[in-house]
Amino acid sequence: MLNAARCLHAFGAAAVYPDMRVYPGATKPLLRPAKHDPEIHGVDGLGGVVGLPDPASAEVQQWIARDAEGAVVRALEGMSHHVKRTWNNGMGSKVTIISSGPMTNIALFASVYPDLLIAVEEFVFMGGGVGLGNRSAVAEYNILCDPHAAQIVLDTPVRKAMIPINVTHTAIVTHSVHTRLLSPSSPDPRDLSVPLPAPTTSLRHTLSTLIGFFAESYKSTFGFNDGPPLHDALTIAYVSQPELFTGTRYRVDVELAATFTSGETVVDVWNYQGFGEDTWGVGGKNCLVTQSLNVSAFFELFHQCLLTCDQVSPLNH
């Protein structure tokens, strides 16, 4: 929650979305104990980052949703309120709900407000893998943290798009990408021994420190020598420019009980279960599983977004 608010401040969200707020979500998974991963993300979830405001500062706290009496408004209430208001009993528009972490809050929303699922166009989530894991032999972290929540979401009769680590592991922040991130006008270095340039703005410096920590984590843990992958940003890219991705609709379920494969996303590639496409919920091919990414186009979008944020970021002024 606080990291989201810190990032909203850094990227200058107030200049475009002054009424946006952050709603604190569930403090633990539906059934399992909470799981943290400081080895990859650092103790506070944004390991190594330099330049973000203190979580207790007024510029961060102003983003937290509160009611008229000053009490914090929780994610479940916030989601239902905004979905209902946007849908407006069918007179408005549907929403797309994005998840870049465990799907606990979305599962709670789907369970408590099933009548509002008609107002949801699509659930887009970064998580899972097709025969691939990153925090067990076959399970990806976001799904492993709350597999029961993931299964609840997968069973909803709503279109879903899954961006697995098979795809996110192709979005690598190479030396070339990192160079352009720091200094857009610097020439593309063909020699990897060329040092990274100095950052042209404070925002770019902050992003570089975060990516640098992540790069070392992925190099030491997974052997990613060319740079770290950008996972979560692909959910936004998918909603913004779905044509950057290819994908196929499959039946996807989550292993909930097995000793060695708990949390695995089981993708029925060959449709052994014989499901059709008449429903996105139970009994149907319930998920569009993305399979490839136009990597160069994605990073072009990434750099363009950064140019926009540079103009409004309080870190630069």
Side-chain angles (χ1 to χ4, degrees):
M1 171 192 72
L2 292 174
N3 282 339
R6 296 168 78 196
C7 289
L8 285 173
H9 171 80
F11 289 119
V16 183
Y17 302 107
D19 296 327
M20 182 182 291
R21 291 295 179 268
V22 176
Y23 295 82
T27 58
K28 62 182 292 295
L30 296 180
L31 297 178
R32 296 188 172 188
K35 179 179 176 62
H36 304 286
D37 206 347
E39 177 187 18
I40 301 298
H41 298 291
V43 174
D44 67 350
L46 289 176
V49 70
V50 175
L52 291 182
D54 186 274
S57 66
E59 52 199 0
V60 171
Q61 291 296 317
Q62 68 178 346
W63 290 100
I64 308 304
R66 299 181 185 276
D67 62 20
E69 298 177 350
V72 172
V73 181
R74 304 293 170 176
L76 187 57
E77 289 79 11
M79 291 173 69
S80 61
H81 169 75
H82 288 290
V83 170
K84 189 179 298 183
R85 186 178 69 175
T86 303
W87 176 237
N88 192 23
N89 290 319
M91 301 296 290
S93 58
K94 292 190 175 187
V95 302
T96 294
I97 297 179
I98 295 173
S99 171
S100 58
M103 289 191 275
T104 311
N105 295 309
I106 299 177
L108 289 170
F109 167 77
S111 300
V112 176
Y113 295 101
D115 54 306
L116 289 180
L117 291 178
I118 192 175
V120 179
E121 183 72 38
E122 187 174 22
F123 290 122
V124 177
F125 66 96
M126 185 271 121
V130 184
L132 184 66
N134 64 0
R135 297 322 275 156
S136 84
V138 292
E140 180 274 333
Y141 179 79
N142 289 344
I143 306 298
L144 181 62
C145 282
D146 200 342
H148 300 88
Q151 186 64 59
I152 287 173
V153 175
L154 285 166
D155 280 340
T156 61
V158 175
R159 176 185 171 95
K160 291 163 289 283
M162 168 178 159
I163 304 176
I165 55 176
N166 309 68
V167 174
T168 66
H169 281 182
T170 67
I172 303 299
V173 183
T174 62
H175 191 69
S176 174
V177 171
H178 201 161
T179 295
R180 186 176 173 189
L181 181 155
L182 284 165
S183 177
S185 61
S186 291
D188 187 353
R190 300 188 181 277
D191 184 354
L192 298 183
S193 65
V194 174
L196 290 169
T200 57
T201 68
S202 295
L203 175 62
R204 291 174 183 273
H205 171 65
T206 293
L207 283 176
S208 179
T209 61
L210 179 60
I211 287 174
F213 180 91
F214 201 44
E216 288 303 315
S217 297
Y218 256 72
K219 183 177 182 179
S220 61
T221 305
F222 300 115
F224 276 56
N225 294 316
D226 295 331
L230 280 188
H231 296 291
D232 301 347
L234 294 191
T235 58
I236 307 299
Y238 177 85
V239 174
S240 174
Q241 297 185 17
E243 66 275 10
L244 297 182
F245 298 79
T246 64
T248 302
R249 186 173 172 179
Y250 295 117
R251 177 69 202 181
V252 180
D253 291 288
V254 180
E255 179 56 65
L256 301 177
T259 301
F260 300 108
T261 58
S262 179
E264 178 183 10
T265 43
V266 182
V267 181
D268 191 357
V269 173
W270 305 115
N271 197 25
Y272 281 116
Q273 300 174 83
F275 287 126
E277 297 187 357
D278 54 329
T279 176
W280 286 93
V282 176
K285 293 182 179 180
N286 59 345
C287 192
L288 177 73
V289 180
T290 59
Q291 295 168 311
S292 68
L293 168 71
N294 184 330
V295 176
S296 61
F298 163 70
F299 277 113
E300 188 61 37
L301 174 63
F302 172 80
H303 288 302
Q304 291 303 315
C305 289
L306 187 50
L307 283 172
T308 300
C309 292
D310 249 344
Q311 304 303 311
V312 294
S313 172
L315 303 187
N316 296 341
H317 304 288

